């Protein structure tokens, strides 16, 4: 299948820009930059200049490649252009705004105040960003002849027919050109022409005919289609408080907070959470602990609210989870064992309720942070297999240096996970990563790895259910017709 880069096109408009020109309004232009690390911003693209306008609606869209698993920080800069040089250093800066691409993708429109510099608004100016296009919608024939981008019934298609050889040296039988409209006019018959034979033999007619008896067009929706269509990603966190972590007051403990107030648990939480939080509109995340004795009765719990409010376990943003974790540490007694099933089943209940709506409106991501191998293996396998039938993914990050072999089994990269009774998971929904592998890597590397499979898992679930995005994606812009090869 041919490959289309996932991209987003942004339309930009501004209101109440300040006037820098004497006797006329400013001539604004918008430039889009992306944070490439180390405090460096790289320019991606620009709009056109709009003459004498304090509230421009730029007609040229800004295009950027989209990656779910990373935080793509963007900066929009508005400049008053009074010369023909491409250098912006000699143009007046009217204001700028920063956000992440995830914030734009997960909202319908995003309006931001223009700032001259941090903490200093640029008058009453605002910038509004609208996502108005995305990567082309895939269309696929039910017969495996051709995959191509677009969907224009008149787009030329070239089909190649070959004599298959097991060693890969397939012999060309012939080709024919058609269009989607012609293929849909079934039954349709086409002559296969071998170009070399046609040149050499005057009596050559064809190398056979291909008869199309049925043609069905299916829309292949992408992860971006679902998110931009209104699907909310619900993020839940589970933290391991078992005794194998060590006394939190000891520097040897995995729960020990360094002088800077961090540890492996918090680093992993920030890494993954900073990406996912942009896809949840209310930024309220349930957070739980497991494997600890909890006050006031000191019973072992494998599903207690980090904020000790079981009726409302939601924390405000990732910082809220961090605060709840820090407050919970001195109030619980680390104990055991390491049971995953209770929290997985907890999230699965909410995913099951969402699935009853029979719409692609919600998807659930559970992040489990643990220092050791799971103890309730059979119950966890059962929980994962049942959760595989729901709009849900499970991410496990192993902190510390324990043996995580059982975790690798849950990841099921070698084959479907099965229950004790032999029932197989309908989807692979677990991704396990040991934190130590990324200990010396940039923080975003961990997030890229553990979140890499979430888009595919989300799409596979909604596709299996036959659920389209809540809001249909816009039709792709038509460019010059190029006949893709089969």
């Amino acid at each position: 299948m041919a490959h289309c880069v996932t991209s987003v096109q942004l339309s930009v408009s501004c209101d109440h820009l300040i006037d820098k020109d004497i006797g006329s309004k400013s001539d604004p232009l918008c430039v889009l930059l992306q944070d490439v690390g180390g405090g460096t911003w790289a320019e991606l693209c620009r709009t056109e200049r709009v003459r004498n306008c304090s509230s421009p609606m730029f007609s040229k869209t800004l295009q950027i490649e989209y990656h779910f698993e990373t935080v793509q920080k963007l900066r929009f800069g508005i400049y008053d252009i009074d010369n023909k040089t491409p250098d912006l250093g000699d143009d007046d800066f009217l204001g700028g705004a920063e956000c992440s691409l995830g914030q734009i993708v997960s909202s319908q429109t995003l309006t931001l105040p223009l700032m001259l510099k941090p903490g200093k608004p640029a008058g009453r100016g605002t910038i509004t960003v609208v996502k108005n296009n995305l990567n082309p919608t895939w269309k696929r024939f039910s017969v495996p002849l051709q995959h191509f981008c677009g969907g224009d019934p008149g787009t030329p298609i070239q089909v190649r027919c070959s004599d298959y050889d097991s060693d890969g040296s397939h012999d060309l039988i012939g080709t024919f050109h058609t269009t989607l409209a012609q293929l849909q006019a079934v039954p349709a018959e086409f002559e296969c022409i071998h170009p070399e034979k046609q040149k050499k033999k005057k009596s050559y007619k064809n190398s056979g005919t291909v008869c199309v008896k049925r043609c069905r067009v299916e829309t292949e929706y992408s992860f971006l289609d679902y998110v931009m269509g209104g699907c909310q990603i619900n993020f839940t966190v589970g933290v391991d408080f078992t005794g194998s972590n060590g006394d939190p007051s000891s520097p040897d403990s995995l729960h020990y907070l360094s002088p800077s107030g961090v540890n492996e648990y918090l680093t992993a939480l920030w890494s993954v959470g900073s990406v996912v939080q942009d896809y949840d509109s209310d930024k309220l995340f349930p957070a739980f602990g497991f494997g600890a004795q909890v006050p006031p009765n000191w019973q072992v719990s494998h599903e207690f609210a980090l904020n000790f409010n079981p009726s409302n376990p939601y924390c405000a943003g990732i910082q809220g989870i961090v605060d709840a974790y820090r407050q919970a540490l001195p109030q619980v007694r680390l104990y055991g064992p390491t049971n995953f099933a209770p929290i997985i089943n907890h999230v699965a209940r909410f995913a099951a309720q969402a699935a009853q709506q029979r719409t692609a409106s919600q998807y659930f991501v559970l992040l489990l942070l643990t220092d050791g191998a799971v103890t309730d293996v059979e119950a966890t396998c059962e929980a994962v297999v049942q959760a595989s039938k729901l709009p849900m993914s499970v991410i496990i990050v192993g902190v510390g240096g324990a043996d995580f072999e059982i975790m690798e089994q849950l990841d099921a990269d070698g084959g479907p996970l099965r229950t004790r009774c032999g029932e197989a998971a309908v989807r692979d929904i677990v991704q396990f990563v040991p934190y130590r592998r990324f200990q010396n890597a940039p923080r975003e590397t961990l997030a890229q790895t553990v979140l890499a499979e979430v888009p595919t898992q989300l799409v596979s679930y909604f596709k299996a259910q036959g659920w389209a995005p809540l809001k249909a994606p816009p039709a792709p812009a038509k460019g010059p017709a190029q006949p893709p090869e089969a």
Side-chain angles (χ1 to χ4, degrees):
M1 186 172 183
H3 175 67
C4 283
V5 174
T6 302
S7 61
V8 179
Q9 290 184 358
L10 309 175
S11 291
V12 178
S13 62
C14 300
D15 283 318
H16 303 103
L17 297 178
I18 58 177
D19 296 329
K20 285 288 188 177
D21 295 342
I22 299 175
S24 66
K25 298 182 182 298
S26 297
D27 304 323
L29 169 150
C30 178
V31 59
L32 176 62
L33 305 98
Q34 182 171 3
D35 183 0
V36 293
T40 303
W41 294 82
E43 180 178 333
L44 298 180
C45 48
R46 303 181 182 188
T47 66
E48 79 283 7
R49 177 180 65 162
V50 179
R51 293 181 179 274
N52 298 320
C53 185
S54 59
S55 296
M57 294 184 64
F58 299 103
S59 60
K60 181 181 178 181
T61 58
L62 304 173
Q63 183 164 312
I64 179 173
E65 289 188 15
Y66 169 76
H67 304 279
F68 164 72
E69 65 275 12
T70 62
V71 178
Q72 294 175 264
K73 295 181 180 179
L74 303 179
R75 175 183 291 172
F76 297 86
I78 309 298
Y79 291 84
D80 177 23
I81 307 299
D82 290 320
N83 54 59
K84 296 182 179 180
T85 65
D87 183 15
L88 298 173
D90 54 358
D91 296 302
D92 291 320
F93 179 61
L94 302 181
E98 295 182 14
C99 64
S100 72
L101 184 56
Q103 289 175 289
I104 298 173
V105 166
S106 60
S107 62
Q108 296 303 313
T109 61
L110 191 63
T111 300
L112 304 164
L114 283 175
M115 310 292 287
L116 289 175
K117 60 182 180 180
K120 186 178 180 181
R124 294 182 295 131
T126 60
I127 179 171
T128 300
V129 184
V130 182
K131 54 184 187 300
N132 69 333
N133 195 18
L134 44 140
N135 58 297
T137 304
W138 289 98
K139 302 288 185 180
R140 178 172 61 111
F141 290 116
S142 58
V143 290
L145 290 179
Q146 173 72 29
H147 295 75
F148 65 99
C149 290
D152 184 352
T155 300
I157 304 168
Q158 183 189 74
V159 180
R160 295 171 58 90
C161 300
S162 298
D163 177 23
Y164 175 82
D165 289 317
S166 59
D167 62 0
S169 58
H170 313 312
D171 299 317
L172 177 66
I173 295 174
T175 66
F176 66 88
H177 292 82
T178 183
T179 65
L180 176 58
Q182 291 172 344
L183 287 170
Q184 288 180 302
V186 292
E189 193 169 285
F190 305 92
E191 290 186 323
C192 263
I193 304 298
H194 193 296
E196 295 299 324
K197 292 181 179 180
Q198 190 180 43
K199 289 179 182 179
K200 294 179 179 179
K201 299 180 181 180
K202 293 183 179 181
S203 60
Y204 176 81
K205 291 184 178 181
N206 58 57
S207 297
T209 59
V210 174
C211 182
V212 180
K213 296 183 178 179
R214 187 178 64 153
C215 179
R216 184 180 65 196
V217 178
E218 297 177 348
T219 301
E220 294 284 345
Y221 295 110
S222 70
F223 173 77
L224 199 53
D225 290 333
Y226 285 107
V227 172
M228 294 176 71
C231 180
Q232 288 283 306
I233 296 182
N234 301 280
F235 184 51
T236 303
V237 175
V239 181
D240 185 339
F241 285 92
T242 56
S244 55
N245 284 280
D247 184 352
S249 63
S250 170
D252 296 331
S253 172
L254 292 169
H255 280 301
Y256 177 74
L257 295 175
S258 69
S260 60
V262 299
N263 56 29
E264 288 188 10
Y265 278 97
L266 291 181
T267 301
L269 171 61
W270 271 114
S271 177
V272 179
S274 61
V275 174
V276 178
Q277 67 177 349
D278 285 341
Y279 299 87
D280 191 305
S281 59
D282 61 14
K283 304 292 189 290
L284 294 175
F285 307 117
F288 301 91
F290 58 92
Q293 292 178 320
V294 182
N297 298 323
W298 303 108
Q299 295 294 313
V300 177
S301 174
H302 299 288
E303 186 189 346
F304 66 91
L306 272 188
N307 61 7
F308 297 108
N309 185 353
S311 62
N312 184 16
Y314 296 90
C315 300
I318 303 304
Q319 185 61 53
I321 301 177
V322 172
D323 294 340
Y325 166 78
R326 288 173 173 163
Q327 294 171 14
L329 263 179
Q331 298 186 59
V332 301
R333 297 172 183 169
L334 274 61
Y335 206 73
T338 306
N339 291 351
F340 286 173
I343 289 183
I344 295 175
N345 288 329
H346 176 98
V347 177
R349 286 193 291 272
F350 287 91
Q353 292 175 6
Q356 291 177 1
Q357 300 176 20
R358 303 194 63 78
T359 61
S361 59
Q362 297 187 73
Y363 195 83
F364 294 78
V365 175
L366 170 61
L367 171 64
L368 292 173
L369 304 171
T370 182
D371 83 311
V374 59
T375 306
D376 60 338
V377 178
E378 290 185 5
T380 295
C381 288
E382 179 71 31
V384 170
V385 168
Q386 299 310 316
S388 71
K389 306 172 186 176
L390 301 171
M392 179 176 169
S393 293
V394 180
I395 297 169
I396 305 174
V397 177
V399 300
D403 180 5
F404 293 114
E405 182 179 352
I406 295 180
M407 305 299 192
E408 301 286 358
Q409 296 176 18
L410 291 176
D411 201 322
D413 285 339
L417 185 69
R418 295 182 180 274
T419 66
R420 184 178 183 181
C421 297
E423 182 180 2
V426 296
R427 298 183 299 128
D428 177 13
I429 66 168
V430 177
Q431 172 76 342
F432 169 74
V433 173
Y435 175 83
R436 288 292 169 92
R437 188 187 302 169
F438 302 91
Q439 193 170 22
N440 299 318
R443 190 175 72 180
E444 58 269 19
T445 306
L446 174 65
Q448 291 171 6
T449 302
V450 299
L451 293 173
E453 296 182 9
V454 170
T456 302
Q457 292 168 353
L458 179 149
V459 171
S460 69
Y461 175 78
F462 289 135
K463 179 181 179 181
Q465 303 304 314
W467 299 344
L470 291 177
K471 181 181 178 183
K478 293 181 181 178
Q482 297 291 335
E485 211 171 82

